Amino acid sequence: MLRHVVAWTFKDSHEGLDKAAIIDRAAELLNRCETGVPSVRGWELGRATEGYEASHDLILISTFDDAAGLKAYIEHPVHQDVVEFLSKVRDQRVVIDYEI
């Protein structure tokens, strides 16, 4: 199995959305992938909790059977909708993929 972990920081605003609204929209779009992309085997999306130290605003931990499953996710139209939005509103993104 393959674990895919992505963490983002977001801009303070974008096209009338404040940072909280950006994070809400990003989470909404990302969560569509959990049921909309058949190769997803595990899904956990978390937001930084106020009052605790955090270097990122949002984290995704997802699981796939193998590299082909991850590739199918990355190329899936539901995921591509997310990528389009995130590319406009993110400041930083870090990714790590590893075998489990």
Side-chain angles (χ1 to χ4, degrees):
M1 299 205 65
L2 188 64
R3 179 94 9 104
H4 175 65
V5 180
V6 187
W8 298 269
T9 60
F10 295 101
K11 297 177 182 178
D12 289 332
S13 63
H14 177 77
E15 294 183 355
L17 298 175
D18 65 9
K19 190 171 191 170
I22 290 170
I23 294 169
D24 287 345
R25 180 70 176 144
E28 175 188 327
L29 291 169
L30 282 161
N31 279 326
R32 290 180 185 175
C33 294
E34 181 179 14
T35 56
V37 180
S39 63
V40 172
R41 298 293 177 255
W43 192 266
E44 183 178 349
L45 188 65
R47 300 171 192 229
T49 301
E50 283 191 42
Y52 293 93
E53 184 178 349
S55 61
H56 288 77
D57 300 313
L58 192 65
I59 188 168
L60 170 66
I61 304 168
S62 53
T63 306
F64 302 88
D65 288 335
D66 51 27
L70 176 58
K71 185 176 188 287
Y73 162 76
I74 290 169
E75 295 173 353
H76 196 282
V78 173
H79 179 258
Q80 286 302 308
D81 288 344
V82 179
V83 170
E84 182 180 341
F85 177 73
L86 293 179
S87 68
K88 297 174 188 173
V89 298
R90 72 174 185 191
D91 276 332
Q92 296 180 350
R93 177 180 76 124
V94 294
V95 180
I96 185 168
D97 299 312
Y98 59 93
E99 296 284 336
I100 56 172

